[in-house]
Amino acid sequence: MLIAGNWKMYKGPAEAADFCLRLRDTELEGVDVVVCPPFVSLAVAVQLLAGTEIAVAAQNVHWEVEGAYTGEVSAPMLRELGVYGAIVGHSERRQYFGESDETTATRARSALAAGLCVIARVGETEEERERGETENVLRRQVAFLEADDNLVVAYEPVWAIGTGKTATPEIAQEAHGFLKSLLDVPILYGGSVKPENAAELLSQPAVDGALVGGASLELDSFVAICRTAASL
Ligand code: PGA
């Protein structure tokens, strides 16, 4: 079971250091844990979590090794820092920064080739679900990805991200089962995962972990979710 905390644009280096120091001193057995700080806080997180089982991943990664791509960071640069992986294709990247299935796949491919682990996020919008298009959307998004030992998919329905509206365990199980029939990789659920709903979501057979946003920002709630995962 893998629990990844996506900090989004929260926690600069000082706050990240404080969180990592406390996380480092927390007993976390039987679960794989990853934190995904903003770029500027990756170095301190890598440094403070070195020698622990907790991994550090970026929230995005460019497909080129280097070049004239203002504002971007490449996979070799992340590797140099000791970063273990990267999220690609988050719905906020798609919504606000023009990311597409193609750019997501290109980022994923280059990151995997450079030796990073990748969490590729997929998921339908509320309108797509209401129109009965969920499976078509997931099929299209996953078609751009290739199975890889270092690839994990995160199913995050857009309508559940940051809204407090979690998918029911049945919806998550159905979507994960469908995704697994298309691509044989571990699938995380994401979208308003909290300590209160983690057990029912994580106990679904096709749910291999969670990508946690809001609830990963507080140590107590993040640790509670990690411990729930460890207990299942
Ligand atoms: P949330 O975010 O847990 O705050 O809904 C999840 C995510 O965006 O990865």
Side-chain angles (χ1 to χ4, degrees):
M1 196 78 84
L2 169 68
I3 303 296
N6 173 15
W7 293 358
K8 310 195 179 188
M9 201 170 71
Y10 293 98
K11 296 193 195 297
E15 269 187 65
D18 175 66
F19 187 97
C20 291
L21 283 171
R22 290 186 295 133
L23 184 61
R24 192 171 74 173
D25 288 339
T26 307
E27 194 69 51
L28 280 177
E29 293 255 305
V31 55
D32 294 325
V33 179
V34 183
V35 292
C36 309
F39 283 124
V40 294
S41 302
L42 287 170
V44 73
V46 167
Q47 196 187 331
L48 291 176
L49 296 173
T52 74
E53 297 283 305
I54 303 160
V56 178
Q59 296 172 18
N60 199 8
V61 55
H62 197 259
W63 52 84
E64 291 291 347
V65 166
E66 61 182 5
Y69 298 101
T70 303
E72 293 283 331
V73 173
S74 75
M77 291 171 184
L78 293 172
R79 293 271 291 162
E80 184 180 339
L81 210 56
V83 167
Y84 145 97
I87 300 172
V88 297
H90 192 278
S91 64
E92 287 149 15
R93 299 291 321 164
R94 295 175 190 246
Q95 187 179 350
Y96 303 121
F97 305 101
E99 295 273 351
S100 62
D101 296 335
E102 288 88 346
T103 57
T104 297
T106 313
R107 288 178 195 273
R109 206 173 304 119
S110 301
L112 289 166
L116 288 175
C117 290
V118 168
I119 301 175
R121 179 256 157 221
V122 300
E124 79 288 359
T125 64
E126 190 152 36
E127 299 75 55
E128 287 164 342
R129 175 160 285 273
E130 277 165 8
R131 286 200 301 262
E133 290 169 6
T134 299
E135 291 201 344
N136 285 341
V137 170
L138 297 181
R139 189 182 291 110
R140 189 198 72 220
Q141 292 176 337
V142 159
F144 285 89
L145 301 169
E146 290 144 37
D148 189 291
D149 286 347
N150 291 325
L151 176 68
V152 171
V153 164
Y155 169 63
E156 295 197 316
V158 179
W159 46 270
I161 296 179
T163 57
K165 251 202 230 177
T166 318
T168 61
E170 294 72 32
I171 288 180
Q173 171 61 25
E174 197 184 343
H176 284 223
F178 179 69
L179 287 166
K180 277 178 186 282
S181 74
L182 303 172
L183 194 66
D184 185 20
V185 297
I187 315 240
L188 312 181
Y189 170 77
S192 300
V193 176
K194 301 180 191 66
E196 304 79 58
N197 58 27
E200 57 177 15
L201 288 160
L202 293 171
S203 55
Q204 297 303 309
V207 175
D208 302 307
L211 180 55
V212 186
S216 73
L217 295 173
E218 295 295 333
L219 187 75
D220 289 352
S221 49
F222 187 57
V223 166
I225 294 168
C226 293
R227 290 195 171 140
T228 298
S231 73
L232 293 169

